[in-house]
Amino acid sequence: MNLSRIYHIITSFFILQVATAQHDIRIDAALDAESKVITINQQITYKNTSNKSLKEILLHDWANSFESKTTPLGERFSEDFLKRFYFAKDYERGATAIAAITDVSGNSLTFERYNKLPDIIRLTIDNELLPGESFVFNLEYKVKLPSEKFTRYGYHKNGDFSLKYWYIVPAVHNEDWQVYSHKNLDDLYAPIADFQINFTFPSNYSLTSELDQNELISDNEENKTIQLTGKNRNEVNLYLEQTNSFYDFKMNGVKLISNIDDNDLMPDMKSVASKRIIKFLEDRLGPYPFDKILVSENDYKNNPVYGLNQLPDILRPFPDGFQYEIKQLKSITEAYLEKTLLVNPRYDAWIKDAIHIYIMMAYTDQYYPDMKIIGSLSKIIGIRWFHAADLDFNDQYFLGYKNMARLFLDQPLTEPQDKLVKFNSNIANAYKAGVGFKYLEDYLEDDNILEDAVRQFYTNNTLKLTSSKEFEKLLNSLTPKNIDWFFEDFIPTNEKLDFKIKSVKKRKDSLEITIKNKRNNAMPVSIAGLRDGQLVSKTWVTNIVGKKKVKIANEDIDKLVLDYDQNIPEVNRRNNHRNIKGLFNKPIQLRFLQDVEDPTRSQIFYIPEFEFNVYDGLTIGSKFYNKTFIRRDFDYRITPSYGFLSKKLIGSAFFQYRDQIADYGLYQIRYAFSGSTFSYAPDLLFRRFSPSVNFLWRPEDLRSNETQRLSIRSVNVFRDRAENNPVETPDYSVFNVRYRYSDFNLLDFNSYIIDYQLAKNFSKVSTTINYRKVFLNNRQLNLRLFAGAFIFNDTERDGDFFSFALDRPTDYLFDFSYLGRSEETGLVSQQIIIAEGGFKSQLDYPFANQWITTLNANTNIWNWIYAYGDVGFVKNRGVSPKFVYDAGVRVSLVADYFELFFPVVSNNGFEINQPNYDEKIRFIITLSPQTLIGLFTREWY
């Protein structure tokens, strides 16, 4: 037995003796694999460790979170646009059926669902439980296991079981009861307890857990019973498999049990990697207090290392050894912390996140210092010229946070986990916490201080209820520097960091530098002096309010850089450089294809672009733009193109600036200018120019999808005249004010638009109201009401070009992506965009030059097949209002993006029996990749 193993055993023994479990939990459980039900008899010995008497005990029953579509868990799935739970079969959902809760004498105890929450139980105690006293009670209940397709835990299609939150557990009482519902965040806050579990299951299964196991003698050959025991545990996860997928390694007194995908690595390579991870964690944190640590592929997939390493194996640019090691590192570190560091995971998660990511970054720096963010792709000719090829693997953590900051969706690290948007909950907030530690470490100018603080915090609080406040006290005691800014500005706010070198003045032997803090905070920044690319000096500047002057020695410095080591999570590093010698701070860089932002260059990207319409034919152009992978406040795109059919130079340009003025309420103003020229008919061009300003509102709760937008714009159109069919008004300008309100999730959609237009020859106002509801029986109802009227209309000479349209607007504002906007026959004329009247059939009254009112409705018949119906009135001057209607079948392959409409009946009669029916079929098609991407990203943002 080596010395490290002896040390681990002694230290673990000491920790386990000092850490005394509050409670004792004994469970007799029997799994019926066919019905997927666990029958449980449970005894809980609850110890009151508080300083006040208790009249009730609260329990978490998270297995019952799956019992209906309307639980907090079900609502969370709907908010995240996850259909699989809402549309699941009833037998796929889980539930808890409690038969009885009794005291040791068998007397029934009063219990209820706490605040009507389905997964929290309030147990009433007849006599007050005094501090230091214990109360013993028994529970009899059955747990119907859910399908694993919701959370990756439950029953699998192949008959295996992954069990998490499968039993009832006391809540933590820390000054008050710490209870909250299951919301698919893997954040149950449970106290430590001593467990003894007798688990009975079919003999053809093997059971894997990190508790000690002992098979009990049974007379029934069809089933076997395993006794599981463990002290000072806060959760027990079980895996029952017909073919065991787990492997294990023994190392320094700890057995690692894992089924993390290994890419067919040799066992020796897996063992070496795993031992190195455990050793690193012991050095950085302290010894693990248990003799087993269990990590699973389920755990990793629920919280993976996001990035290129998630690509399919054939595309993944990382070596298998690194891929396996980084997955094990992520999973083992998380298990290491989750099982031993007892902080409230919903309200104080940032401290564990910070330690987790900080350790992962340190591990990569130590063992893979040359690993790049795009792996082996960084060595390929062509790709290696991109700035992305220069980025280290650890840079992904800063980019993950920066993405949300640039989207103005970042949230404070102290925000409760269930209030975070999904991208923040899964990625950005943990990354911000980790890079925040690197920022703090750089500021302290001594790498040992933060490293020692993390180690002491872990060893001092192993298996104890603790909080981030304890870490703050500890760190303050270890450093002479003032770090209040970190805990007052960086952690509890979403205040951005953005520093700028405002000016530089040369003195006789020094440089006087004015640094501007463009944000409202007291966070520090470092300024470095360089000579011939080599670091000469580095100075930390603190308490920058507005502007601050600082002097540094002028040692023939030729360049100044803020945050030279790039450890500060600034949202904008493009203003961090100042050349003392030379004319240009940042040379212009023309780069093929989009790249990661390079703060040392003024980047212009270009890419070929191909489009099609029936007048210009195939168009080939080149888009020049400045948009990087992470959004910028100011962006532009200029796309000159050539139409091979029209043989004309066409194209478009767009410029936009976003001004973020608040976090909620009126939070952003966007200023934009766009221009375009394309063919609108054979051999006829239009030119469109439109300046606009948009005011955007949102609620304080960023998970809410409620938005409001007020758009004010001027649309100016200039059209070529046709010699054989001249238009009366080829050139026109329309002043447009539009207000839009929307609030939507998977189940409900509410929106309305109020639109006002003013031109020389007309003025009109309209409103569009949309409502969608998915009912508990999965029936979906979609309603749309449109009403519009002219205030005045002097456009008779232009026919119906400016009129309201029943089925196919003329689109005189050129807002829609028609394949052929002037076509009246042929396939492209059958394209529709649901706007204005929203009808699908082409009727005898397709326009209204006075007023129009329509109602569009549809409901699902089966899956993606719907029945639709439209009714309305069309009013033209000098003609009485005409009642119009149509009905048919809608095939929604991708809602609002690719749909087909088959008319059945309308004012035209029974349309199916009429000739040329194929010409009556209408379709919706969206070719914009950005629009389609929104379908897949909406659950993250």
Side-chain angles (χ1 to χ4, degrees), residues 588-592 602-606 624-626 636:
I588 294 176
Q589 181 186 71
L590 193 63
R591 178 75 75 194
F592 178 66
S602 295
Q603 296 167 295
I604 300 175
F605 308 113
Y606 65 95
F624 297 89
Y625 59 104
N626 73 331
Y636 65 84

Side-chain angles (χ1 to χ4, degrees), residues 799-869:
D800 285 309
F801 185 66
F802 297 105
S803 296
F804 293 109
L806 187 63
D807 70 289
R808 185 177 162 91
T810 59
D811 190 28
Y812 53 86
L813 295 180
F814 292 88
D815 286 334
F816 304 139
S817 298
Y818 278 126
L819 297 176
R821 63 180 59 249
S822 300
E823 296 302 291
E824 297 180 357
T825 59
L827 179 63
V828 295
S829 70
Q830 295 172 238
Q831 179 192 8
I832 61 168
I833 294 172
I834 304 300
E836 299 190 0
F839 267 56
K840 289 67 181 186
S841 293
Q842 296 175 302
L843 306 180
D844 292 335
Y845 308 97
F847 295 102
N849 60 23
Q850 191 168 356
W851 60 262
I852 184 175
T853 300
T854 61
L855 176 66
N856 317 123
N858 62 78
T859 187
N860 54 317
I861 302 173
W862 176 81
N863 284 352
W864 34 267
I865 299 178
Y866 293 74
Y868 74 81

Side-chain angles (χ1 to χ4, degrees), residues 474-579:
L474 174 61
L475 186 58
N476 268 306
S477 70
L478 295 177
T479 176
K481 280 194 167 187
N482 186 333
I483 56 173
D484 290 346
W485 59 268
F486 184 76
F487 294 99
E488 293 176 4
D489 282 345
F490 187 82
I491 297 298
T493 76
N494 65 340
E495 191 63 52
K496 320 295 188 293
L497 288 97
D498 187 7
F499 298 97
K500 176 182 180 180
I501 299 177
K502 183 69 175 176
S503 64
V504 179
K505 294 181 180 180
K506 290 185 179 181
R507 303 304 183 189
K508 185 176 181 180
D509 57 355
S510 65
L511 296 174
E512 183 180 275
I513 308 159
T514 300
I515 300 174
K516 181 179 181 180
N517 185 350
K518 300 179 70 175
R519 302 290 176 164
N520 182 28
N521 58 58
M523 289 180 261
V525 66
S526 64
I527 183 162
L530 279 67
R531 182 175 61 246
D532 298 329
Q534 300 299 314
L535 182 66
V536 174
S537 65
K538 180 178 176 180
T539 305
W540 278 94
V541 185
T542 60
N543 299 318
I544 308 173
V545 179
K547 300 175 185 177
K548 186 172 184 177
K549 293 182 179 180
V550 60
K551 287 185 178 181
I552 66 171
N554 187 359
E555 303 172 84
D556 198 24
I557 291 172
D558 57 34
K559 189 172 186 177
L560 294 170
V561 181
L562 295 176
D563 184 29
Y564 174 71
D565 298 309
Q566 297 194 3
N567 285 321
I568 301 177
E570 280 191 275
V571 293
N572 178 21
R573 289 174 173 168
R574 298 190 305 277
N575 51 18
N576 284 13
H577 299 256
R578 175 62 68 94
N579 286 333

Side-chain angles (χ1 to χ4, degrees), residues 8 14 256 301 381 452 562 718 740 746 749 802 812 830:
H8 178 272
F14 176 76
L256 171 66
K301 287 181 177 179
I381 294 176
D452 290 344
L562 295 176
F718 307 90
R740 176 185 174 89
L746 178 66
F749 182 97
F802 297 105
Y812 53 86
Q830 295 172 238

Side-chain angles (χ1 to χ4, degrees), residues 19 60 85 106 146 210 223 261 403 435 439 443 448 544 588 653 663 727 729 737 861 906 925:
H60 279 121
F85 184 78
E210 58 185 5
N223 295 302
D261 183 23
N403 174 55
V435 298
Y439 177 20
Y443 168 76
N448 294 323
I544 308 173
I588 294 176
D663 288 331
V727 294
T729 311
V737 179
I861 302 173
S906 70
I925 186 168

Side-chain angles (χ1 to χ4, degrees), residues 249-262:
F249 303 110
K250 293 183 180 179
M251 54 202 78
N252 299 330
V254 177
K255 178 191 283 189
L256 171 66
I257 306 170
S258 174
N259 69 346
I260 296 287
D261 183 23
D262 58 13

Side-chain angles (χ1 to χ4, degrees), residues 290-561:
F290 306 117
D291 59 1
K292 298 176 186 175
I293 185 167
L294 173 65
V295 296
S296 72
E297 187 74 15
N298 286 345
D299 292 328
Y300 175 76
K301 287 181 177 179
N302 278 340
N303 192 12
V305 180
Y306 291 92
L308 292 180
N309 48 293
Q310 288 189 287
L311 292 172
D313 290 345
I314 193 171
L315 300 176
R316 192 174 296 143
F318 299 101
D320 288 342
F322 174 78
Q323 170 70 19
Y324 173 78
E325 194 164 346
I326 205 72
K327 290 172 66 175
Q328 286 284 30
L329 173 65
K330 182 75 162 65
S331 302
I332 294 173
T333 306
E334 184 169 22
Y336 212 98
L337 295 171
E338 292 293 333
K339 302 298 175 60
T340 58
L341 205 55
L342 307 179
V343 299
N344 191 318
R346 183 156 295 184
Y347 296 96
D348 203 17
W350 79 263
I351 183 61
K352 276 198 292 190
D353 288 340
I355 294 173
H356 191 175
I357 301 301
Y358 173 68
I359 285 177
M360 290 189 64
M361 295 174 74
Y363 186 91
T364 306
D365 283 339
Q366 180 168 331
Y367 294 109
Y368 295 95
D370 299 323
M371 185 60 68
K372 299 299 181 181
I373 196 171
I374 61 173
S376 58
L377 296 178
S378 63
K379 299 179 181 179
I380 297 176
I381 294 176
I383 296 179
R384 70 187 184 195
W385 300 330
F386 286 83
H387 182 58
D390 300 328
L391 300 180
D392 293 329
F393 186 80
N394 281 341
D395 286 328
Q396 66 180 301
Y397 302 113
F398 166 65
L399 294 177
Y401 156 69
K402 185 179 178 180
N403 174 55
M404 296 305 281
R406 287 280 187 88
L407 291 171
F408 307 114
L409 289 172
D410 56 317
Q411 295 171 277
L413 296 182
T414 52
E415 192 82 0
Q417 293 293 294
D418 61 337
K419 298 297 183 182
L420 299 177
V421 297
K422 187 174 179 179
F423 195 96
N424 286 334
S425 176
N426 287 33
I427 303 175
N429 270 37
Y431 288 6
K432 179 186 176 182
V435 298
F437 264 22
K438 294 295 290 184
Y439 177 20
L440 181 61
E441 184 178 63
D442 192 11
Y443 168 76
L444 294 175
E445 299 182 282
D446 183 347
D447 293 350
N448 294 323
I449 293 177
L450 186 59
E451 186 177 324
D452 290 344
V454 169
R455 186 184 298 108
Q456 289 186 40
F457 177 68
Y458 180 84
T459 55
N460 293 345
N461 293 281
T462 301
L463 298 178
K464 298 178 184 177
L465 295 180
T466 187
S467 71
S468 58
K469 292 295 183 184
E470 296 300 318
F471 178 79
E472 182 180 354
K473 293 177 186 176
L474 174 61
L475 186 58
N476 268 306
S477 70
L478 295 177
T479 176
K481 280 194 167 187
N482 186 333
I483 56 173
D484 290 346
W485 59 268
F486 184 76
F487 294 99
E488 293 176 4
D489 282 345
F490 187 82
I491 297 298
T493 76
N494 65 340
E495 191 63 52
K496 320 295 188 293
L497 288 97
D498 187 7
F499 298 97
K500 176 182 180 180
I501 299 177
K502 183 69 175 176
S503 64
V504 179
K505 294 181 180 180
K506 290 185 179 181
R507 303 304 183 189
K508 185 176 181 180
D509 57 355
S510 65
L511 296 174
E512 183 180 275
I513 308 159
T514 300
I515 300 174
K516 181 179 181 180
N517 185 350
K518 300 179 70 175
R519 302 290 176 164
N520 182 28
N521 58 58
M523 289 180 261
V525 66
S526 64
I527 183 162
L530 279 67
R531 182 175 61 246
D532 298 329
Q534 300 299 314
L535 182 66
V536 174
S537 65
K538 180 178 176 180
T539 305
W540 278 94
V541 185
T542 60
N543 299 318
I544 308 173
V545 179
K547 300 175 185 177
K548 186 172 184 177
K549 293 182 179 180
V550 60
K551 287 185 178 181
I552 66 171
N554 187 359
E555 303 172 84
D556 198 24
I557 291 172
D558 57 34
K559 189 172 186 177
L560 294 170
V561 181

